[in-house]
């Protein structure tokens, strides 16, 4: 699945004896969270956001469930009724705005049966920002002043095939940290 595209998820409800469960209440909970993806065949390359190794688990937890680099987690709820065949379909539209990065979508359907018992099932989808990914690797994370920072770049498709002839723009920045009254600032 790709940003700007769509997908349809379905729930199907049947009686225990086997027939379809029509006109049953269906509640969908759809959550979206930033994710990551690394095409196969390039284990030494970083694709997408790089999370520094010095961000230990305790530091990431202090920033919420996805750490300071991951951004928002969104949840939406939808409801409807199953049709005569006991099915309900929900069309998902994948937003293209914001930072281009993969997102993990979890769609969970809960169907209320005639005895007011809730039955749930779900599926997950990975939504890619593009058909191609740019990978980066360097033999070192830090360099001393005056030493070159060597960086290798690759363009890969989702299956891990290298794509040649695609231009890549790279921007480098030096980050400085200072201690203030509220802690460390970048």
């Amino acid at each position: 699945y790709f940003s700007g595209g769509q997908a349809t998820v379905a729930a199907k409800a049947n009686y225990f004896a086997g027939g379809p469960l029509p006109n049953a209440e269906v509640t969908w909970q759809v959550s979206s969270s930033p994710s990551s993806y690394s095409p196969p065949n390039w284990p030494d390359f970083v694709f997408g956001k790089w999370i520094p190794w010095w961000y230990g688990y305790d530091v990431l937890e202090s920033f919420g469930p996805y750490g300071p680099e991951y951004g928002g987690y969104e949840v939406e709820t939808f409801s409807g009724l199953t049709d005569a065949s006991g099915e309900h379909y929900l069309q998902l539209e994948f937003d293209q705005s914001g930072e281009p990065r993969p997102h993990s979508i979890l769609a969970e359907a809960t169907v209320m049966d005639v005895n007011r018992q809730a039955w749930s099932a779900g599926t997950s989808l990975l939504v890619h920002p593009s058909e191609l990914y740019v990978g980066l690797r360097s033999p070192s994370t830090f360099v001393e002043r005056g030493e070159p920072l060597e960086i290798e770049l690759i363009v890969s498709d989702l299956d891990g095939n290298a794509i040649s002839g695609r231009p890549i723009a790279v921007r480098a920045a030096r980050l400085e940290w200072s201690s203030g009254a509220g802690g460390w600032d970048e």
Side-chain angles (χ1 to χ4, degrees):
Y1 302 96
F2 294 99
S3 295
Q6 58 191 11
T8 302
V9 291
K12 181 174 175 104
N14 290 321
Y15 285 104
F16 187 71
L21 182 60
N23 296 319
E25 296 175 21
V26 181
T27 303
W28 289 92
Q29 183 168 320
V30 180
S31 60
S32 171
S33 60
S35 189
S36 63
Y37 180 77
S38 293
N41 305 326
W42 307 103
D44 297 337
F45 284 79
V46 174
F47 295 85
K49 279 253 188 223
W50 175 68
I51 305 298
W53 57 265
W54 57 86
Y55 278 14
Y57 180 77
D58 55 333
V59 173
L60 289 175
E61 264 313 291
S62 69
F63 287 99
Y66 298 99
E69 302 299 321
Y70 277 95
Y73 175 84
E74 297 177 19
V75 178
E76 291 187 73
T77 303
F78 306 94
S79 60
L81 298 173
T82 57
D83 61 16
S85 64
E87 297 177 343
H88 187 267
Y89 297 92
L90 180 67
Q91 184 166 326
L92 305 174
E93 308 260 339
F94 304 126
D95 190 8
Q96 201 168 8
S97 65
E99 184 179 358
R101 64 182 309 162
H103 277 78
S104 179
I105 309 295
L106 177 62
E108 296 177 303
T110 300
V111 178
M112 193 70 68
D113 71 12
V114 294
N115 296 323
R116 303 303 294 162
Q117 293 178 326
W119 300 88
S120 297
T123 189
S124 61
L125 313 168
L126 182 61
V127 180
H128 297 280
S130 172
E131 294 181 20
L132 302 176
Y133 278 79
V134 175
L136 168 121
R137 78 173 168 189
S138 177
S140 62
T141 306
F142 298 97
V143 292
E144 293 294 326
R145 181 182 299 208
E147 290 183 17
L149 175 60
E150 297 177 14
I151 297 173
E152 293 179 68
L153 300 162
I154 186 168
V155 176
S156 170
D157 67 12
L158 299 178
D159 295 324
N161 300 311
I163 306 297
S164 62
R166 295 300 298 251
I168 302 172
V170 178
R171 183 175 56 125
R174 178 177 166 210
L175 301 179
E176 292 186 15
W177 292 80
S178 62
S179 178
W184 285 91
D185 293 317
E186 186 177 273

